[in-house]
Amino acid sequence: MQALLLKELNLFFKILSLQTSGFDVTSALPTIVKLLALSDVFIKRVAGEIITILAQNNPEMVLLATNTLVQDCKDVNPVVRSLGLRLLGSLQSNLVVEMLNAAVIQGLDDNSQHVRRCAALASAHLHRVSPTMVTEGGIWDSLYGHLNDSDSSTVASCLCALEEIFTGEKGIVISNKLGLYLINSFFSHTPTVQRFILQFLLKHSPRTKSLVFDQLNLLDDCLSKSHSLTNALCTMELFSHVTSDLPKVLTKVYITSWECIKMHLARERDEEMVAAVIDYLSRTNFPSSVLEQDYSKFCCREDDAQFLMKQKIKILCKLITVDNADSILNEFVLIARRLDLETVKEMVWSVAAASSLKPEINSLCVDFVKKLFQIGVVGITECVLEVLSSVTFSDESHWPQLAEVIQNNFSEIESTNGQLSLLQLIKSYGEYMDNAPKILEHILDQLNEEKSESPKPNKVLKICLLEAMVKVCLYNPAKIQPLLGNLMEECISDESRNVRDQAMFLYGYLLSKARVKNSTLIC
């Protein structure tokens, strides 16, 4: 018997391999249909799956398989009955509509809860093939009747089937009566089915405030004492939906739900789950004021994965206030070495964004940037420079402090992106940098070295360097003129038209500035 089973499994494997490779294996269907009639449940299941894949263009094989599956739906073994229902629904053929309809009606009244579940799901398959058979034949009414089934999974299956059947009408309608029934029977279901019910209850909007508070009172334990983190979140979604017009009650909902979420996060060991919850709190309208006092709950651990630290950084930036900014920013400095460079860049961007929204923490953000420079890691320094080149402080007095730190670390910058960011900062705030000519000379030397190694140096860097020199020349001409003259001459004769045009424009700009200055002196 064991040898026969192995032989049949090998046959299935070969058929599936050939079919996956693009071969036509329809000639094997008669043999597979015969195997479908065997008593072994596993063989039936594999044979049925193959038939559902291959039998779409073979109506004769569909009819042969249907006869066997109809007999399976009447088998004494509930596992065989449920498998027959599932496979019959999967055939998706007009030839099986009548038989599938009869099997679904019979299955919904079956003594086995597993068969009832499969019958409910099969009704959705039937609706795809013949919508009128379900809507006019009374199956949908039977599905509604089974929402009071003693088996939780059957209730969930009926809800999902009704949702698909009434997709054209925006899904299942949750009336006041049905909504109240689902809430009253809520705690009799398993946690998984409770989540289904909570999602469907979002379709229900109580008409009066008394109904709203009745619903809140009945589900209060699920919000405050839930043993499942996902259930607590789903309940919070439902409560925020029904109390959207009651701001004071909504605030209490958020406070209560956070106490429950906080408890679960402390003992949750699945990092992906923690990251998902934090991402949810960051993206939704969950009020920051509720989370601010517990910001330390989002501090990174030594063994946290990169994706989790990324989510924690995102929400901590959202929670920054004058009172906790120093602690949060020090936390960022401590973990900076453990982050990949892309995450470091996102962290600095987020801090800069928070600083622009809350000018009162600008000085603390400047100290944070200075501490990142002091770490001494080239990659981190370049990331900070790239962000700073696009940052605007409400108070310009912070730039002299930053300029001093930048001048002390310019020799570490080696990448093209880092040099471009440094040049952008010199163009914008070079007047605060006493060593700006020295920095430009250092970059020019590196550009000349690159030119000696490669006949085609970076054109963008070359233009940006020329622009920075022109800007510095306006307020420190003595130190920059020799460098500027050589680079200007080189750019004007460059083979690239873009470089030549930019150089000619800057040359004309300098001449106009010089004429204005001379005319001012004459006057």
Side-chain angles (χ1 to χ4, degrees):
M1 185 66 183
Q2 188 71 20
L4 180 61
L5 179 61
L6 290 174
K7 183 178 179 180
E8 290 162 349
L9 290 176
N10 287 330
L11 173 64
F12 290 144
F13 176 76
K14 289 178 181 178
I15 292 172
L16 288 172
S17 298
L18 290 171
Q19 193 268 338
T20 305
S21 302
F23 290 93
D24 184 8
V25 294
T26 52
S27 58
L29 275 176
T31 304
I32 298 173
V33 171
K34 290 179 182 179
L35 292 175
L36 189 63
L38 295 179
S39 59
D40 187 87
V41 175
F42 184 74
I43 295 294
K44 279 180 175 293
R45 179 177 178 181
V46 179
E49 295 292 344
I50 296 175
I51 290 170
T52 56
I53 295 171
L54 303 178
Q56 294 180 359
N57 299 321
N58 295 271
E60 294 180 0
M61 294 298 104
V62 170
L63 285 175
L64 289 174
T66 300
N67 292 330
T68 303
L69 294 174
V70 169
Q71 294 300 318
D72 287 345
C73 291
K74 301 175 183 178
D75 197 272
V76 293
N77 187 346
V79 176
V80 175
R81 294 201 300 275
S82 59
L83 181 61
L85 263 169
R86 188 165 66 84
L87 294 175
L88 199 58
S90 299
L91 289 176
Q92 296 289 295
S93 171
N94 290 322
L95 299 173
V96 303
V97 169
E98 294 291 341
M99 289 169 278
L100 179 57
N101 181 58
V104 167
I105 293 174
Q106 182 180 344
L108 287 173
D109 294 329
D110 199 279
N111 293 328
S112 169
Q113 57 191 24
H114 189 60
V115 176
R116 294 198 298 274
R117 296 176 208 165
C118 291
L121 297 175
S123 65
H125 290 290
L126 177 60
H127 182 264
R128 293 175 197 162
V129 182
S130 178
T132 55
M133 187 72 74
V134 176
T135 55
E136 296 179 6
I139 290 180
W140 67 272
D141 194 36
S142 181
L143 290 171
Y144 268 112
H146 278 79
L147 292 179
N148 63 357
D149 198 282
S150 58
D151 176 54
S152 294
S153 297
T154 301
V155 174
S157 299
C158 290
L159 285 170
C160 292
L162 287 167
E163 180 70 10
E164 183 166 340
I165 290 168
F166 294 108
T167 300
E169 302 173 16
K170 298 184 179 180
I172 184 175
V173 176
I174 306 294
S175 62
N176 283 331
K177 183 178 179 181
L178 178 57
L180 188 60
Y181 170 76
L182 290 174
I183 292 171
N184 283 325
S185 62
F186 181 81
F187 291 102
S188 65
H189 298 295
T190 62
T192 303
V193 176
Q194 287 177 359
R195 289 197 293 275
F196 271 98
I197 293 174
L198 289 168
Q199 290 298 309
F200 280 105
L201 284 173
L202 288 172
K203 293 173 171 286
H204 173 53
S205 298
R207 296 179 181 177
T208 63
K209 287 186 178 181
S210 62
L211 288 175
V212 169
F213 286 106
D214 287 343
Q215 185 168 318
L216 296 180
N217 290 330
L218 289 169
L219 293 176
D220 182 65
D221 284 348
C222 190
L223 181 70
S224 58
K225 302 176 183 178
S226 176
H227 297 292
S228 168
L229 177 56
T230 49
N231 280 13
L233 289 170
C234 290
T235 309
M236 184 193 69
E237 280 284 334
L238 177 61
F239 276 36
S240 61
H241 166 68
V242 298
T243 61
S244 56
D245 297 331
L246 303 168
K248 291 184 179 180
V249 178
L250 182 58
T251 301
K252 291 182 180 179
V253 167
Y254 283 129
I255 293 172
T256 304
S257 62
W258 169 238
E259 291 299 322
C260 185
I261 294 169
K262 178 171 62 174
M263 176 186 67
H264 285 289
L265 283 179
R267 60 193 185 195
E268 181 62 57
R269 292 295 174 262
D270 186 347
E271 289 187 334
E272 292 183 359
M273 173 64 79
V274 175
V277 172
I278 294 175
D279 185 53
Y280 169 83
L281 295 174
S282 301
R283 291 176 180 271
T284 58
N285 295 324
F286 200 97
S288 299
S289 56
V290 176
L291 303 174
E292 285 169 359
Q293 293 182 347
D294 293 308
Y295 73 90
S296 59
K297 301 292 182 183
F298 302 105
C299 289
C300 297
R301 300 175 181 173
E302 292 185 2
D303 57 344
D304 279 347
Q306 286 285 327
F307 69 87
L308 179 55
M309 288 195 289
K310 193 172 182 178
Q311 294 299 333
K312 288 184 174 181
I313 289 168
K314 185 190 299 183
I315 196 166
L316 282 171
C317 288
K318 186 179 178 181
L319 302 180
I320 286 182
T321 63
V322 176
D323 297 329
N324 61 28
D326 191 47
S327 299
I328 291 177
L329 296 176
N330 283 334
E331 164 75 8
F332 289 167
V333 173
L334 290 174
I335 65 173
R337 289 179 181 271
R338 293 157 47 199
L339 301 173
D340 58 66
L341 295 181
E342 192 61 35
T343 305
V344 170
K345 191 186 300 182
E346 290 181 13
M347 176 180 72
V348 182
W349 270 118
S350 299
V351 171
S355 176
S356 64
L357 294 173
K358 302 171 183 177
E360 62 272 17
I361 65 171
N362 276 357
S363 58
L364 293 171
C365 291
V366 170
D367 292 337
F368 163 69
V369 171
K370 291 164 67 175
K371 289 176 182 177
L372 288 180
F373 276 115
Q374 292 168 5
I375 292 176
V377 177
V378 177
I380 294 177
T381 301
E382 292 180 351
C383 288
V384 175
L385 285 175
E386 189 172 341
V387 175
L388 282 179
S389 63
S390 303
V391 170
T392 302
F393 288 109
S394 58
D395 186 357
E396 289 283 328
S397 64
H398 295 302
W399 279 109
Q401 302 177 53
L402 290 172
E404 183 180 354
V405 180
I406 293 169
Q407 291 180 115
N408 295 334
N409 293 273
F410 77 90
S411 59
E412 300 175 1
I413 310 302
E414 298 176 352
S415 72
T416 301
N417 287 337
Q419 290 176 340
L420 288 171
S421 300
L422 183 56
L423 291 172
Q424 189 65 41
L425 286 168
I426 292 174
K427 286 192 290 182
S428 302
Y429 308 103
E431 62 268 25
Y432 301 122
M433 301 182 188
D434 297 333
N435 288 341
K438 185 178 179 180
I439 296 173
L440 295 173
E441 184 179 8
H442 176 75
I443 296 176
L444 181 61
D445 291 341
Q446 288 186 328
L447 190 64
N448 290 332
E449 289 178 9
E450 181 184 340
K451 185 170 63 174
S452 63
E453 297 174 1
S454 172
K456 293 184 178 181
N458 191 304
K459 304 296 183 183
V460 177
L461 181 62
K462 197 173 185 179
I463 293 173
C464 196
L465 178 60
L466 182 62
E467 292 172 347
M469 284 187 175
V470 169
K471 179 67 183 291
V472 173
C473 184
L474 297 177
Y475 52 81
N476 196 350
K479 293 183 179 180
I480 204 68
Q481 275 183 351
L483 299 174
L484 177 58
N486 293 333
L487 183 61
M488 182 71 75
E489 184 178 351
E490 181 182 334
C491 290
I492 290 175
S493 59
D494 195 276
E495 61 181 15
S496 170
R497 181 176 178 178
N498 185 33
V499 176
R500 294 197 306 271
D501 290 348
Q502 195 75 3
M504 291 299 296
F505 171 78
L506 292 171
Y507 181 69
Y509 174 75
L510 275 178
L511 287 179
S512 65
K513 286 288 184 181
R515 292 193 190 103
V516 171
K517 186 175 181 180
N518 290 335
S519 62
T520 304
L521 291 173
I522 292 172
C523 293

